[in-house]
Amino acid sequence: MQPHFVHDSASIGPGTAVGRFTAIEEGVAIGSDCQIGNNVVIRSGTKIGNRVRIDDGAVIGKQPMKAANSAVTTQAVQPPATIGDSCLVGANAVIYAGVTIGQRVLVADLASIREEVEIGDFTIVGRGVAIENRCIIGRYCKLETNAYIAAYSEVEDRCFIAPGVLTSNDNFLGRTEERFEHFKGVTVRRGGRLGVGAVTLPGVEVGADGVIAAGGVLTRDAEERTIYAGVPAERFRSVPEDQLLDNQGWEDLESE
């Protein structure tokens, strides 16, 4: 039995190590100095940058499955996944075809990233996080353990999504044909923060530097630089000046 399978058309850069029982399909391109673990599957055409680590059991470039009654999954074949330089992909993570991941992104163990998702540089996708299809995640974001990002959502740069956060995109809860005209995920503007276990309803927008407190249920748009709390979440107070994103000095670090 071969220790791994590498298609003849795949390219693997110098210094890259491939573990046992790993499958690398046709047209895959892997850069230099990467570490590919055991039992990894890398599907056709996937592009992986330099110095990328992919841990045991991960699947990269999986084509989506469409259930007979799925409302948001298409049958179109997705383009190959792309993973930028110096990324880390944890054990048993699944990254679908049609995903574009920037540089120095961490995708932790058991995370799932669906098709047509973009993730910016330096973002952390925590353990067990699920990002559904057609989402945009910005740069320097933190999506913590078991957060759920519904399809058609956008999370802008420097946002913090705490463990167990839930988002939604269907006000009709799967009934009536009218729902197909109204699917809309959530939008979290630059520097927005959602506390542990917070819930946001479909189409809701969290303004820049807005905060939803732990356990809050946001049913309407939240103003920028404002803390919301409760069920349903209501305006609590303004975000303190020293907590505002522009007062952290991080932008200066990014330009260096």
Side-chain angles (χ1 to χ4, degrees), residues 6-7 9-12 23-30 41-48 60:
V6 179
H7 194 274
S9 63
S11 65
I12 299 177
I24 300 174
E25 296 184 345
E26 61 270 24
V28 169
I30 302 175
V41 177
I42 304 178
R43 295 295 186 185
S44 301
T46 299
K47 308 300 181 192
I48 297 172
I60 313 296

Side-chain angles (χ1 to χ4, degrees), residues 12-254:
I12 299 177
T16 289
V18 178
R20 292 178 60 83
F21 309 113
T22 282
I24 300 174
E25 296 184 345
E26 61 270 24
V28 169
I30 302 175
S32 60
D33 300 314
C34 295
Q35 300 176 47
I36 312 299
N38 301 317
N39 299 299
V40 173
V41 177
I42 304 178
R43 295 295 186 185
S44 301
T46 299
K47 308 300 181 192
I48 297 172
N50 302 315
R51 302 174 301 282
V52 173
R53 170 180 150 184
I54 301 175
D55 285 352
D56 300 343
V59 178
I60 313 296
K62 178 185 187 299
Q63 288 291 333
M65 300 178 294
K66 179 175 173 58
N69 62 346
S70 174
V72 296
T73 302
T74 68
Q75 292 181 316
V77 174
Q78 294 292 322
T82 301
I83 298 177
D85 293 344
S86 302
C87 287
L88 303 174
V89 178
N92 297 306
V94 179
I95 298 173
Y96 279 56
V99 169
T100 301
I101 296 178
Q103 300 183 43
R104 299 189 181 184
V105 172
L106 167 63
V107 179
D109 300 346
L110 301 172
S112 175
I113 303 174
R114 289 279 304 275
E115 69 275 13
E116 299 182 66
V117 168
E118 300 177 16
I119 299 178
D121 300 341
F122 299 97
T123 281
I124 295 172
V125 178
R127 186 181 190 276
V129 167
I131 303 175
E132 298 286 11
N133 48 326
R134 303 182 186 181
C135 289
I136 299 174
I137 311 296
R139 302 171 71 240
Y140 291 95
C141 292
K142 292 182 180 179
L143 282 60
E144 300 288 344
T145 299
N146 292 334
Y148 177 79
I149 308 299
Y152 302 95
S153 294
E154 181 174 3
V155 178
E156 294 186 344
D157 296 348
R158 291 285 189 186
C159 290
F160 179 86
I161 310 296
V165 164
L166 298 175
T167 62
S168 53
N169 58 21
D170 181 7
N171 271 321
F172 294 81
L173 280 73
R175 292 186 178 172
T176 78
E177 292 299 309
E178 186 179 357
R179 75 186 194 276
F180 294 108
E181 302 176 12
H182 299 285
F183 277 120
K184 188 175 183 181
V186 304
T187 301
V188 185
R189 296 298 182 192
R190 177 179 177 270
R193 293 177 287 174
L194 277 60
V196 172
V199 176
T200 57
L201 297 192
V204 166
E205 178 173 311
V206 178
D209 258 325
V211 174
I212 311 306
V217 178
L218 189 66
T219 61
R220 57 188 176 86
D221 291 350
E223 296 178 11
E224 64 180 22
R225 299 187 173 197
T226 303
I227 300 172
Y228 286 73
V231 181
E234 299 290 346
R235 190 185 192 282
F236 178 60
R237 62 183 173 92
S238 297
V239 174
E241 285 291 322
D242 64 350
Q243 285 288 314
L244 295 176
L245 184 59
D246 289 342
N247 295 332
Q248 305 310 305
W250 291 339
E251 298 300 325
D252 293 337
L253 294 175
E254 291 177 24

